[in-house]
Amino acid sequence: MAGLGFRREMLDWDPASLDADFFEVAPENWLRRDRAPLHALRAAGRPVWLHGVSLNLGGHSPLATGFLQDVRALIDELGHPAGAVVYSDHLAASGDAHQLHDLFPIPGTVAEVARVADRIRAVQDVLGRRLAIENPTWYTRVGPIPEPDFLMAVAERADCRILLDLNNITVNAKNHGCYTLESYLARIDLARVSCLHVAGHEFDARFDLHVDTHSRPVEADTAAAARRLAAQWGLPILLEWDHDLPELATLNRELACLSPQ
């Protein structure tokens, strides 16, 4: 099953023209907006999942309980069964006093495992369901616990699910020479994963870094890994394309590349 991140540029598109089995939206963009387009997607037989960017799981400010209650109401409005893991956010910090519109890594320490897991448990208590946490890209990181081990430790302590972003693993490997995609996957309990994300990225010579832009086709190795994991574990795959949105035919071609061969 392959889904697509739904963007405002698609509002005038016929859902039937997109070969996506489901769509994903940022709830922050829809809580105070007419949700008729989301219901139109559902009426066309395409479930709508939520992938947030502002939970600030790694931050220190109090959790936004009112926001979480609104998200819970939106999940119910979209008709998701109680056991479905349809809401995710990043294992990162996004700003305490102000939303910084970026994702910052959490120190890889035992103390942070406990602190962040407690925050995730509190989120799940408000939602009345399990959350999925995404492994982010990072451009600097501190702490002795390796990234995949930190992700697993938090997920196990919080008893939450994992949204595994394969493109983020590749970007981090290219930038920092750390875990390859296969060595990272070897350290993850894939039974805890609820969904896979894939996307494309670019090299930015100004910073001498690969940047997680979501603006290019998915690399062949990433797509192959996603297909293999989907076949072995029954995992859905979500294609993210957030910038320089291409024509419909390109998106459908990318979705086709994520289907079992």
Side-chain angles (χ1 to χ4, degrees):
M1 184 166 67
L4 180 65
F6 187 76
R7 305 295 172 248
R8 67 178 60 193
E9 294 91 339
M10 302 176 189
L11 286 172
D12 295 328
W13 295 9
D14 178 4
S17 66
L18 284 162
D19 298 333
D21 298 307
F22 65 100
F23 290 97
E24 186 182 78
V25 301
E28 293 87 347
N29 293 336
W30 293 94
L31 293 181
R32 302 292 180 265
R33 183 177 294 172
D34 178 18
R35 295 196 277 270
L38 303 187
H39 290 287
L41 294 176
R42 291 185 63 246
R46 316 294 178 87
V48 178
W49 298 357
L50 306 178
H51 181 55
V53 295
S54 65
L55 267 187
N56 193 30
L57 292 173
H60 291 265
S61 60
L63 293 167
T65 304
F67 166 74
L68 287 169
Q69 290 170 341
D70 288 343
V71 170
R72 178 173 180 164
L74 178 57
I75 293 171
D76 292 341
E77 181 181 327
L78 293 174
H80 293 295
V85 181
V86 295
Y87 179 43
S88 56
D89 208 302
H90 303 78
L91 186 59
S94 56
D96 286 331
H98 304 282
Q99 175 59 239
L100 299 177
H101 303 288
D102 207 341
L103 300 168
F104 299 90
I106 304 166
T109 66
V110 172
E112 285 297 280
V113 168
R115 186 184 69 83
V116 174
D118 286 348
R119 286 171 69 84
I120 294 170
R121 283 187 172 275
V123 167
Q124 293 180 144
D125 287 345
V126 176
L127 293 176
R129 62 173 63 227
R130 295 170 88 189
L131 178 73
I133 55 174
E134 179 185 340
N135 55 297
T137 53
W138 49 272
Y139 302 102
T140 184
R141 187 175 182 273
V142 298
I145 302 178
E147 179 195 356
D149 299 352
F150 183 78
L151 173 66
M152 279 305 310
V154 171
E156 289 173 351
R157 185 179 177 102
D159 192 24
C160 66
R161 301 299 296 273
I162 292 172
L163 189 162
L164 197 60
D165 192 309
L166 303 183
N167 179 61
N168 289 355
I169 298 170
T170 297
V171 170
N172 290 341
K174 288 182 176 182
N175 285 336
H176 311 296
C178 51
Y179 295 95
T180 65
L181 185 54
E182 291 307 317
S183 64
Y184 193 109
L185 293 174
R187 302 176 81 101
I188 297 298
D189 176 8
L190 293 167
R192 195 172 282 276
V193 176
S194 62
C195 185
L196 304 171
H197 269 192
V198 296
H201 56 271
E202 298 180 65
F203 179 74
D204 193 322
R206 296 173 300 172
F207 309 109
D208 194 30
L209 288 170
H210 292 83
V211 181
D212 183 31
T213 56
H214 298 177
S215 62
R216 292 292 183 271
V218 180
E219 288 191 348
D221 289 349
T222 302
R227 290 194 301 269
R228 173 171 56 82
L229 293 173
Q232 291 176 346
W233 294 89
L235 296 172
I237 307 170
L238 191 286
L239 170 65
E240 295 182 292
W241 201 310
D242 296 335
H243 304 288
D244 300 332
L245 195 70
E247 68 281 0
L248 178 68
T250 297
L251 289 174
N252 281 338
R253 185 166 60 248
E254 286 290 296
L255 288 165
C257 289
L258 301 175
S259 300
Q261 303 297 305

